[in-house]
């Protein structure tokens, strides 16, 4: 199983980025996936979830209305479209595979595979 994130970078406040997570080694369309971030010196923060079929999505209040999660099951790829970025969005962003195909409050123990992360820095 591999999850490989890309698309991070340096962007000015108010800018946009699209993160991608390419998966391999498992049946992508069968799994619930998440984006989780970690800001410098802080713990993991859940960002967004999407169910296996892609018809249910969930967002942290801090990103609701600015970020959009999506997936292309034909391409084994998860996306996070980020708009109106703020300095407080600066973090290492991870995609993660959840063991259960339903929503519940974020618990690290509910995830069995993580990517290596892609860095997003929002600064002028």
């Amino acid at each position: 199983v591999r999850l490989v994130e890309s698309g991070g970078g340096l962007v000015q406040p108010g800018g946009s980025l699209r993160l991608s997570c390419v998966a391999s080694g498992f049946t992508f369309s069968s799994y619930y996936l998440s984006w989780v971030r970690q800001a410098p010196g802080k713990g993991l923060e859940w960002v967004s979830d999407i169910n296996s079929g892609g018809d249910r999505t969930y967002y942290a209040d801090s990103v609701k209305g600015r970020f959009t999660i999506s997936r292309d099951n034909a391409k084994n790829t998860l996306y996070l479209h980020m708009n109106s970025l703020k300095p407080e969005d600066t973090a290492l962003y991870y995609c993660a595979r959840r063991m259960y195909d339903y929503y519940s409050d974020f618990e690290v123990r509910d995830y069995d595979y993580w990517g290596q992360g892609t860095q997003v820095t929002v600064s002028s």
Side-chain angles (χ1 to χ4, degrees), residues 71-111:
R71 64 192 295 162
D72 186 335
N73 285 345
K75 295 183 178 179
N76 287 3
T77 304
L78 174 72
Y79 301 101
L80 185 68
H81 300 256
M82 305 186 296
N83 296 321
S84 302
L85 283 161
K86 304 175 181 180
E88 51 263 45
D89 294 318
T90 295
L92 188 60
Y93 283 72
Y94 298 96
C95 65
R97 190 181 84 167
R98 185 176 158 83
M99 293 187 282
Y100 313 109
D101 195 22
Y102 56 82
Y103 174 80
S104 64
D105 288 346
F106 177 67
E107 294 277 358
V108 173
R109 64 186 177 188
D110 290 340
Y111 294 84

Side-chain angles (χ1 to χ4, degrees), residues 21 23 26-31 33 52 71-73 76-78:
C21 173
F26 66 100
T27 305
F28 182 80
S29 59
S30 296
Y31 284 87
L33 298 168
S52 58
R71 64 192 295 162
D72 186 335
N73 285 345
N76 287 3
T77 304
L78 174 72

Side-chain angles (χ1 to χ4, degrees), residues 4-122:
V4 180
E5 303 95 335
S6 63
L10 174 63
V11 62
Q12 292 187 340
S16 299
L17 282 175
R18 187 185 77 165
L19 305 185
S20 300
C21 173
V22 178
S24 60
F26 66 100
T27 305
F28 182 80
S29 59
S30 296
Y31 284 87
Y32 193 109
L33 298 168
S34 302
W35 286 100
V36 179
R37 67 187 182 185
Q38 186 167 27
K42 297 190 176 181
L44 294 172
E45 178 190 12
W46 170 73
V47 174
S48 183
D49 286 351
I50 188 165
N51 72 336
S52 58
D55 58 324
R56 295 192 183 125
T57 57
Y58 306 88
Y59 298 93
D61 288 343
S62 59
V63 306
K64 198 172 294 182
R66 301 188 298 121
F67 290 12
T68 302
I69 191 171
S70 63
R71 64 192 295 162
D72 186 335
N73 285 345
K75 295 183 178 179
N76 287 3
T77 304
L78 174 72
Y79 301 101
L80 185 68
H81 300 256
M82 305 186 296
N83 296 321
S84 302
L85 283 161
K86 304 175 181 180
E88 51 263 45
D89 294 318
T90 295
L92 188 60
Y93 283 72
Y94 298 96
C95 65
R97 190 181 84 167
R98 185 176 158 83
M99 293 187 282
Y100 313 109
D101 195 22
Y102 56 82
Y103 174 80
S104 64
D105 288 346
F106 177 67
E107 294 277 358
V108 173
R109 64 186 177 188
D110 290 340
Y111 294 84
D112 55 359
Y113 288 96
W114 296 72
Q116 82 290 346
T118 186
Q119 179 67 39
V120 172
T121 302
V122 184

